mmCIF file of all heavy atoms in Angstrom:
data_model
loop_
_atom_site.group_PDB
_atom_site.id
_atom_site.type_symbol
_atom_site.label_atom_id
_atom_site.label_comp_id
_atom_site.label_asym_id
_atom_site.label_seq_id
_atom_site.Cartn_x
_atom_site.Cartn_y
_atom_site.Cartn_z
ATOM 1 N N GLY A 9 -145.327 -12.973 19.546
ATOM 2 C CA GLY A 9 -144.305 -11.958 19.225
ATOM 3 C C GLY A 9 -143.321 -11.813 20.299
ATOM 4 O O GLY A 9 -143.487 -12.402 21.446
ATOM 5 N N HIS A 10 -142.253 -11.128 20.037
ATOM 6 C CA HIS A 10 -141.213 -10.825 21.014
ATOM 7 C C HIS A 10 -140.911 -9.314 20.991
ATOM 8 O O HIS A 10 -141.432 -8.587 20.123
ATOM 9 C CB HIS A 10 -140.004 -11.662 20.784
ATOM 10 C CG HIS A 10 -140.188 -13.136 21.141
ATOM 11 N ND1 HIS A 10 -140.322 -13.553 22.475
ATOM 12 C CD2 HIS A 10 -140.335 -14.227 20.359
ATOM 13 C CE1 HIS A 10 -140.528 -14.844 22.458
ATOM 14 N NE2 HIS A 10 -140.521 -15.282 21.265
ATOM 15 N N ASP A 11 -140.011 -8.911 21.861
ATOM 16 C CA ASP A 11 -139.574 -7.552 21.932
ATOM 17 C C ASP A 11 -139.336 -6.903 20.579
ATOM 18 O O ASP A 11 -139.822 -5.771 20.247
ATOM 19 C CB ASP A 11 -138.296 -7.463 22.822
ATOM 20 C CG ASP A 11 -137.888 -6.046 23.188
ATOM 21 O OD1 ASP A 11 -137.421 -5.308 22.253
ATOM 22 O OD2 ASP A 11 -137.975 -5.672 24.331
ATOM 23 N N ILE A 12 -138.596 -7.584 19.756
ATOM 24 C CA ILE A 12 -138.191 -7.098 18.426
ATOM 25 C C ILE A 12 -139.427 -6.774 17.559
ATOM 26 O O ILE A 12 -139.463 -5.797 16.782
ATOM 27 C CB ILE A 12 -137.205 -8.024 17.741
ATOM 28 C CG1 ILE A 12 -136.608 -7.322 16.528
ATOM 29 C CG2 ILE A 12 -137.877 -9.343 17.424
ATOM 30 C CD1 ILE A 12 -135.492 -8.126 15.874
ATOM 31 N N ASN A 13 -140.443 -7.577 17.696
ATOM 32 C CA ASN A 13 -141.673 -7.426 16.866
ATOM 33 C C ASN A 13 -142.441 -6.178 17.305
ATOM 34 O O ASN A 13 -142.964 -5.445 16.429
ATOM 35 C CB ASN A 13 -142.537 -8.653 16.965
ATOM 36 C CG ASN A 13 -141.845 -9.937 16.587
ATOM 37 O OD1 ASN A 13 -141.658 -10.825 17.440
ATOM 38 N ND2 ASN A 13 -141.379 -10.011 15.334
ATOM 39 N N TYR A 14 -142.523 -5.936 18.600
ATOM 40 C CA TYR A 14 -143.279 -4.784 19.080
ATOM 41 C C TYR A 14 -142.566 -3.539 18.825
ATOM 42 O O TYR A 14 -143.208 -2.462 18.523
ATOM 43 C CB TYR A 14 -143.609 -4.992 20.552
ATOM 44 C CG TYR A 14 -144.219 -6.335 20.843
ATOM 45 C CD1 TYR A 14 -143.739 -7.197 21.774
ATOM 46 C CD2 TYR A 14 -145.334 -6.751 20.082
ATOM 47 C CE1 TYR A 14 -144.293 -8.429 21.997
ATOM 48 C CE2 TYR A 14 -145.881 -8.002 20.267
ATOM 49 C CZ TYR A 14 -145.369 -8.845 21.226
ATOM 50 O OH TYR A 14 -145.925 -10.094 21.396
ATOM 51 N N LEU A 15 -141.185 -3.530 18.872
ATOM 52 C CA LEU A 15 -140.437 -2.331 18.488
ATOM 53 C C LEU A 15 -140.594 -2.051 17.017
ATOM 54 O O LEU A 15 -140.673 -0.941 16.583
ATOM 55 C CB LEU A 15 -138.996 -2.551 18.781
ATOM 56 C CG LEU A 15 -138.549 -2.587 20.268
ATOM 57 C CD1 LEU A 15 -137.063 -2.664 20.403
ATOM 58 C CD2 LEU A 15 -139.094 -1.398 21.031
ATOM 59 N N ALA A 16 -140.676 -3.148 16.206
ATOM 60 C CA ALA A 16 -140.839 -2.995 14.735
ATOM 61 C C ALA A 16 -142.157 -2.340 14.419
ATOM 62 O O ALA A 16 -142.257 -1.449 13.542
ATOM 63 C CB ALA A 16 -140.681 -4.341 14.061
ATOM 64 N N LEU A 17 -143.216 -2.745 15.081
ATOM 65 C CA LEU A 17 -144.569 -2.292 14.818
ATOM 66 C C LEU A 17 -144.854 -0.871 15.235
ATOM 67 O O LEU A 17 -145.793 -0.215 14.747
ATOM 68 C CB LEU A 17 -145.606 -3.238 15.392
ATOM 69 C CG LEU A 17 -145.691 -4.640 14.736
ATOM 70 C CD1 LEU A 17 -146.515 -5.568 15.559
ATOM 71 C CD2 LEU A 17 -146.297 -4.533 13.342
ATOM 72 N N THR A 18 -144.096 -0.376 16.241
ATOM 73 C CA THR A 18 -144.323 0.947 16.753
ATOM 74 C C THR A 18 -143.431 1.991 16.127
ATOM 75 O O THR A 18 -143.430 3.161 16.519
ATOM 76 C CB THR A 18 -144.125 0.996 18.306
ATOM 77 O OG1 THR A 18 -142.885 0.378 18.619
ATOM 78 C CG2 THR A 18 -145.240 0.210 19.012
ATOM 79 N N GLY A 19 -142.619 1.579 15.160
ATOM 80 C CA GLY A 19 -141.749 2.545 14.458
ATOM 81 C C GLY A 19 -140.423 2.768 15.158
ATOM 82 O O GLY A 19 -139.564 3.499 14.589
ATOM 83 N N ILE A 20 -140.237 2.188 16.308
ATOM 84 C CA ILE A 20 -139.002 2.490 17.085
ATOM 85 C C ILE A 20 -137.803 1.741 16.512
ATOM 86 O O ILE A 20 -136.720 2.295 16.360
ATOM 87 C CB ILE A 20 -139.179 2.055 18.556
ATOM 88 C CG1 ILE A 20 -140.377 2.839 19.119
ATOM 89 C CG2 ILE A 20 -137.943 2.297 19.350
ATOM 90 C CD1 ILE A 20 -140.771 2.370 20.527
ATOM 91 N N LEU A 21 -137.962 0.510 16.147
ATOM 92 C CA LEU A 21 -136.866 -0.298 15.652
ATOM 93 C C LEU A 21 -136.215 0.322 14.421
ATOM 94 O O LEU A 21 -134.975 0.292 14.233
ATOM 95 C CB LEU A 21 -137.248 -1.761 15.362
ATOM 96 C CG LEU A 21 -136.158 -2.700 14.971
ATOM 97 C CD1 LEU A 21 -135.109 -2.858 16.069
ATOM 98 C CD2 LEU A 21 -136.740 -4.106 14.653
ATOM 99 N N GLU A 22 -137.030 0.903 13.547
ATOM 100 C CA GLU A 22 -136.544 1.482 12.315
ATOM 101 C C GLU A 22 -135.512 2.591 12.539
ATOM 102 O O GLU A 22 -134.676 2.828 11.710
ATOM 103 C CB GLU A 22 -137.727 2.025 11.520
ATOM 104 C CG GLU A 22 -137.385 2.322 10.042
ATOM 105 C CD GLU A 22 -136.771 3.684 9.836
ATOM 106 O OE1 GLU A 22 -136.984 4.559 10.680
ATOM 107 O OE2 GLU A 22 -135.998 3.846 8.844
ATOM 108 N N THR A 23 -135.590 3.199 13.741
ATOM 109 C CA THR A 23 -134.651 4.282 14.015
ATOM 110 C C THR A 23 -133.323 3.804 14.609
ATOM 111 O O THR A 23 -132.355 4.617 14.772
ATOM 112 C CB THR A 23 -135.245 5.244 15.031
ATOM 113 O OG1 THR A 23 -135.388 4.620 16.333
ATOM 114 C CG2 THR A 23 -136.632 5.732 14.634
ATOM 115 N N MET A 24 -133.132 2.518 14.897
ATOM 116 C CA MET A 24 -132.026 2.009 15.669
ATOM 117 C C MET A 24 -130.994 1.319 14.762
ATOM 118 O O MET A 24 -131.378 0.504 13.893
ATOM 119 C CB MET A 24 -132.472 1.026 16.770
ATOM 120 C CG MET A 24 -133.340 1.688 17.809
ATOM 121 S SD MET A 24 -133.903 0.528 19.050
ATOM 122 C CE MET A 24 -134.629 1.589 20.280
ATOM 123 N N GLY A 25 -129.741 1.643 14.961
ATOM 124 C CA GLY A 25 -128.707 0.998 14.156
ATOM 125 C C GLY A 25 -127.985 1.981 13.278
ATOM 126 O O GLY A 25 -128.445 3.138 13.046
ATOM 127 N N PRO A 26 -126.885 1.573 12.695
ATOM 128 C CA PRO A 26 -126.077 2.475 11.830
ATOM 129 C C PRO A 26 -126.686 2.678 10.453
ATOM 130 O O PRO A 26 -127.502 1.845 10.040
ATOM 131 C CB PRO A 26 -124.759 1.741 11.744
ATOM 132 C CG PRO A 26 -125.055 0.297 11.914
ATOM 133 C CD PRO A 26 -126.197 0.262 12.932
ATOM 134 N N ALA A 27 -126.352 3.746 9.859
ATOM 135 C CA ALA A 27 -126.870 4.022 8.495
ATOM 136 C C ALA A 27 -126.328 2.969 7.530
ATOM 137 O O ALA A 27 -125.196 2.472 7.659
ATOM 138 C CB ALA A 27 -126.362 5.414 8.061
ATOM 139 N N GLY A 28 -127.177 2.610 6.565
ATOM 140 C CA GLY A 28 -126.764 1.642 5.574
ATOM 141 C C GLY A 28 -126.743 0.221 6.050
ATOM 142 O O GLY A 28 -126.225 -0.697 5.349
ATOM 143 N N ALA A 29 -127.267 -0.080 7.236
ATOM 144 C CA ALA A 29 -127.292 -1.401 7.787
ATOM 145 C C ALA A 29 -128.703 -1.725 8.344
ATOM 146 O O ALA A 29 -129.498 -0.808 8.522
ATOM 147 C CB ALA A 29 -126.276 -1.540 8.904
ATOM 148 N N PRO A 30 -129.022 -2.974 8.544
ATOM 149 C CA PRO A 30 -130.343 -3.294 9.055
ATOM 150 C C PRO A 30 -130.583 -2.669 10.460
ATOM 151 O O PRO A 30 -129.592 -2.500 11.219
ATOM 152 C CB PRO A 30 -130.362 -4.821 9.156
ATOM 153 C CG PRO A 30 -129.283 -5.247 8.180
ATOM 154 C CD PRO A 30 -128.228 -4.171 8.249
ATOM 155 N N PRO A 31 -131.825 -2.432 10.809
ATOM 156 C CA PRO A 31 -132.104 -1.952 12.230
ATOM 157 C C PRO A 31 -131.559 -2.951 13.239
ATOM 158 O O PRO A 31 -131.571 -4.136 13.013
ATOM 159 C CB PRO A 31 -133.617 -1.886 12.258
ATOM 160 C CG PRO A 31 -134.030 -1.698 10.812
ATOM 161 C CD PRO A 31 -133.044 -2.503 9.991
ATOM 162 N N LEU A 32 -131.119 -2.435 14.351
ATOM 163 C CA LEU A 32 -130.447 -3.257 15.382
ATOM 164 C C LEU A 32 -131.233 -3.213 16.660
ATOM 165 O O LEU A 32 -131.386 -2.142 17.277
ATOM 166 C CB LEU A 32 -129.030 -2.676 15.636
ATOM 167 C CG LEU A 32 -128.085 -3.544 16.481
ATOM 168 C CD1 LEU A 32 -127.772 -4.869 15.812
ATOM 169 C CD2 LEU A 32 -126.753 -2.777 16.696
ATOM 170 N N PRO A 33 -131.761 -4.345 17.140
ATOM 171 C CA PRO A 33 -132.584 -4.316 18.353
ATOM 172 C C PRO A 33 -131.706 -4.090 19.600
ATOM 173 O O PRO A 33 -130.611 -4.634 19.649
ATOM 174 C CB PRO A 33 -133.163 -5.720 18.399
ATOM 175 C CG PRO A 33 -132.206 -6.544 17.593
ATOM 176 C CD PRO A 33 -131.679 -5.685 16.526
ATOM 177 N N PRO A 34 -132.210 -3.300 20.558
ATOM 178 C CA PRO A 34 -131.441 -2.987 21.815
ATOM 179 C C PRO A 34 -131.697 -4.079 22.849
ATOM 180 O O PRO A 34 -132.295 -3.801 23.877
ATOM 181 C CB PRO A 34 -132.043 -1.652 22.203
ATOM 182 C CG PRO A 34 -133.479 -1.775 21.782
ATOM 183 C CD PRO A 34 -133.471 -2.559 20.505
ATOM 184 N N LEU A 35 -131.137 -5.285 22.630
ATOM 185 C CA LEU A 35 -131.424 -6.403 23.523
ATOM 186 C C LEU A 35 -132.985 -6.539 23.574
ATOM 187 O O LEU A 35 -133.640 -6.353 22.590
ATOM 188 C CB LEU A 35 -130.786 -6.211 24.847
ATOM 189 C CG LEU A 35 -129.256 -5.956 24.887
ATOM 190 C CD1 LEU A 35 -128.758 -5.772 26.290
ATOM 191 C CD2 LEU A 35 -128.529 -7.096 24.196
ATOM 192 N N ASN A 36 -133.500 -6.917 24.729
ATOM 193 C CA ASN A 36 -134.944 -6.946 24.870
ATOM 194 C C ASN A 36 -135.379 -6.045 26.013
ATOM 195 O O ASN A 36 -136.357 -6.284 26.675
ATOM 196 C CB ASN A 36 -135.464 -8.402 25.145
ATOM 197 C CG ASN A 36 -135.031 -8.928 26.480
ATOM 198 O OD1 ASN A 36 -133.986 -8.593 26.982
ATOM 199 N ND2 ASN A 36 -135.859 -9.811 27.052
ATOM 200 N N LEU A 37 -134.654 -4.917 26.150
ATOM 201 C CA LEU A 37 -134.920 -4.016 27.264
ATOM 202 C C LEU A 37 -136.075 -3.090 27.079
ATOM 203 O O LEU A 37 -136.675 -2.658 28.012
ATOM 204 C CB LEU A 37 -133.633 -3.184 27.548
ATOM 205 C CG LEU A 37 -132.390 -3.946 27.958
ATOM 206 C CD1 LEU A 37 -131.203 -2.999 28.087
ATOM 207 C CD2 LEU A 37 -132.609 -4.748 29.236
ATOM 208 N N VAL A 38 -136.391 -2.766 25.815
ATOM 209 C CA VAL A 38 -137.350 -1.694 25.597
ATOM 210 C C VAL A 38 -138.773 -2.195 25.647
ATOM 211 O O VAL A 38 -139.570 -1.684 26.450
ATOM 212 C CB VAL A 38 -137.057 -1.018 24.195
ATOM 213 C CG1 VAL A 38 -138.116 0.062 23.934
ATOM 214 C CG2 VAL A 38 -135.673 -0.403 24.164
ATOM 215 N N ALA A 39 -139.191 -3.134 24.805
ATOM 216 C CA ALA A 39 -140.578 -3.548 24.791
ATOM 217 C C ALA A 39 -140.850 -4.527 25.952
ATOM 218 O O ALA A 39 -141.889 -4.361 26.654
ATOM 219 C CB ALA A 39 -140.913 -4.280 23.465
ATOM 220 N N ASP A 40 -140.000 -5.491 26.183
ATOM 221 C CA ASP A 40 -140.298 -6.476 27.254
ATOM 222 C C ASP A 40 -140.340 -5.854 28.623
ATOM 223 O O ASP A 40 -141.294 -6.034 29.401
ATOM 224 C CB ASP A 40 -139.204 -7.556 27.238
ATOM 225 C CG ASP A 40 -139.465 -8.685 26.258
ATOM 226 O OD1 ASP A 40 -140.532 -8.646 25.636
ATOM 227 O OD2 ASP A 40 -138.676 -9.593 26.142
ATOM 228 N N PHE A 41 -139.311 -5.114 28.979
ATOM 229 C CA PHE A 41 -139.185 -4.596 30.304
ATOM 230 C C PHE A 41 -139.576 -3.103 30.484
ATOM 231 O O PHE A 41 -140.335 -2.772 31.374
ATOM 232 C CB PHE A 41 -137.759 -4.864 30.834
ATOM 233 C CG PHE A 41 -137.427 -6.315 30.909
ATOM 234 C CD1 PHE A 41 -136.543 -6.885 29.950
ATOM 235 C CD2 PHE A 41 -138.014 -7.177 31.861
ATOM 236 C CE1 PHE A 41 -136.252 -8.209 30.029
ATOM 237 C CE2 PHE A 41 -137.690 -8.498 31.897
ATOM 238 C CZ PHE A 41 -136.841 -9.045 30.947
ATOM 239 N N GLY A 42 -139.085 -2.251 29.625
ATOM 240 C CA GLY A 42 -139.473 -0.871 29.696
ATOM 241 C C GLY A 42 -140.926 -0.690 29.355
ATOM 242 O O GLY A 42 -141.691 -0.064 30.075
ATOM 243 N N GLY A 43 -141.322 -1.188 28.209
ATOM 244 C CA GLY A 43 -142.725 -1.000 27.777
ATOM 245 C C GLY A 43 -143.643 -2.033 28.284
ATOM 246 O O GLY A 43 -144.857 -1.944 28.109
ATOM 247 N N GLY A 44 -143.101 -3.161 28.869
ATOM 248 C CA GLY A 44 -143.960 -4.242 29.385
ATOM 249 C C GLY A 44 -144.092 -4.197 30.851
ATOM 250 O O GLY A 44 -145.125 -3.791 31.431
ATOM 251 N N SER A 45 -143.079 -4.715 31.570
ATOM 252 C CA SER A 45 -143.216 -4.859 33.042
ATOM 253 C C SER A 45 -143.375 -3.559 33.758
ATOM 254 O O SER A 45 -144.161 -3.418 34.680
ATOM 255 C CB SER A 45 -142.026 -5.620 33.643
ATOM 256 O OG SER A 45 -140.807 -4.938 33.353
ATOM 257 N N MET A 46 -142.643 -2.487 33.297
ATOM 258 C CA MET A 46 -142.757 -1.195 33.936
ATOM 259 C C MET A 46 -144.158 -0.611 33.772
ATOM 260 O O MET A 46 -144.741 -0.027 34.671
ATOM 261 C CB MET A 46 -141.748 -0.218 33.337
ATOM 262 C CG MET A 46 -140.318 -0.539 33.645
ATOM 263 S SD MET A 46 -139.860 -0.304 35.379
ATOM 264 C CE MET A 46 -138.092 -0.611 35.324
ATOM 265 N N LEU A 47 -144.757 -0.813 32.548
ATOM 266 C CA LEU A 47 -146.104 -0.320 32.290
ATOM 267 C C LEU A 47 -147.140 -1.116 33.148
ATOM 268 O O LEU A 47 -148.113 -0.488 33.664
ATOM 269 C CB LEU A 47 -146.465 -0.434 30.823
ATOM 270 C CG LEU A 47 -147.808 0.170 30.418
ATOM 271 C CD1 LEU A 47 -147.775 1.694 30.512
ATOM 272 C CD2 LEU A 47 -148.229 -0.251 29.032
ATOM 273 N N LEU A 48 -146.923 -2.378 33.308
ATOM 274 C CA LEU A 48 -147.805 -3.183 34.081
ATOM 275 C C LEU A 48 -147.763 -2.738 35.544
ATOM 276 O O LEU A 48 -148.848 -2.570 36.177
ATOM 277 C CB LEU A 48 -147.406 -4.666 34.017
ATOM 278 C CG LEU A 48 -148.198 -5.632 34.882
ATOM 279 C CD1 LEU A 48 -149.667 -5.647 34.532
ATOM 280 C CD2 LEU A 48 -147.658 -7.042 34.782
ATOM 281 N N VAL A 49 -146.590 -2.548 36.103
ATOM 282 C CA VAL A 49 -146.520 -2.077 37.510
ATOM 283 C C VAL A 49 -147.150 -0.704 37.657
ATOM 284 O O VAL A 49 -147.920 -0.401 38.596
ATOM 285 C CB VAL A 49 -145.031 -2.019 37.953
ATOM 286 C CG1 VAL A 49 -144.901 -1.285 39.244
ATOM 287 C CG2 VAL A 49 -144.490 -3.436 38.072
ATOM 288 N N PHE A 50 -146.926 0.181 36.718
ATOM 289 C CA PHE A 50 -147.534 1.523 36.734
ATOM 290 C C PHE A 50 -149.072 1.441 36.690
ATOM 291 O O PHE A 50 -149.771 2.086 37.494
ATOM 292 C CB PHE A 50 -147.042 2.371 35.571
ATOM 293 C CG PHE A 50 -147.661 3.719 35.444
ATOM 294 C CD1 PHE A 50 -147.324 4.732 36.328
ATOM 295 C CD2 PHE A 50 -148.556 3.993 34.453
ATOM 296 C CE1 PHE A 50 -147.871 5.993 36.235
ATOM 297 C CE2 PHE A 50 -149.137 5.248 34.326
ATOM 298 C CZ PHE A 50 -148.785 6.249 35.259
ATOM 299 N N GLY A 51 -149.562 0.577 35.855
ATOM 300 C CA GLY A 51 -151.046 0.375 35.726
ATOM 301 C C GLY A 51 -151.643 -0.186 36.949
ATOM 302 O O GLY A 51 -152.743 0.259 37.479
ATOM 303 N N VAL A 52 -150.977 -1.170 37.566
ATOM 304 C CA VAL A 52 -151.441 -1.793 38.839
ATOM 305 C C VAL A 52 -151.462 -0.742 39.936
ATOM 306 O O VAL A 52 -152.500 -0.675 40.693
ATOM 307 C CB VAL A 52 -150.600 -3.016 39.157
ATOM 308 C CG1 VAL A 52 -150.803 -3.387 40.573
ATOM 309 C CG2 VAL A 52 -150.873 -4.143 38.211
ATOM 310 N N MET A 53 -150.460 0.017 40.124
ATOM 311 C CA MET A 53 -150.391 1.017 41.109
ATOM 312 C C MET A 53 -151.429 2.067 40.980
ATOM 313 O O MET A 53 -152.086 2.576 41.922
ATOM 314 C CB MET A 53 -148.995 1.637 41.270
ATOM 315 C CG MET A 53 -147.900 0.589 41.599
ATOM 316 S SD MET A 53 -148.252 -0.507 42.967
ATOM 317 C CE MET A 53 -148.378 0.669 44.318
ATOM 318 N N ALA A 54 -151.686 2.436 39.667
ATOM 319 C CA ALA A 54 -152.762 3.440 39.449
ATOM 320 C C ALA A 54 -154.138 2.888 39.760
ATOM 321 O O ALA A 54 -154.976 3.591 40.351
ATOM 322 C CB ALA A 54 -152.722 3.875 37.949
ATOM 323 N N ALA A 55 -154.361 1.606 39.476
ATOM 324 C CA ALA A 55 -155.612 0.971 39.816
ATOM 325 C C ALA A 55 -155.768 0.858 41.301
ATOM 326 O O ALA A 55 -156.926 0.960 41.825
ATOM 327 C CB ALA A 55 -155.735 -0.361 39.117
#
């Protein structure tokens, strides 16, 4: 999967984009880096 797939599965992607148009992914900033690398660093520092 990729960023767009994980946003889709968590309900986030459905909220993004203009009305009457398909959902619009916010580049790959949210799942890949915000929800991925940032969470990994946070988890490592906690451990």
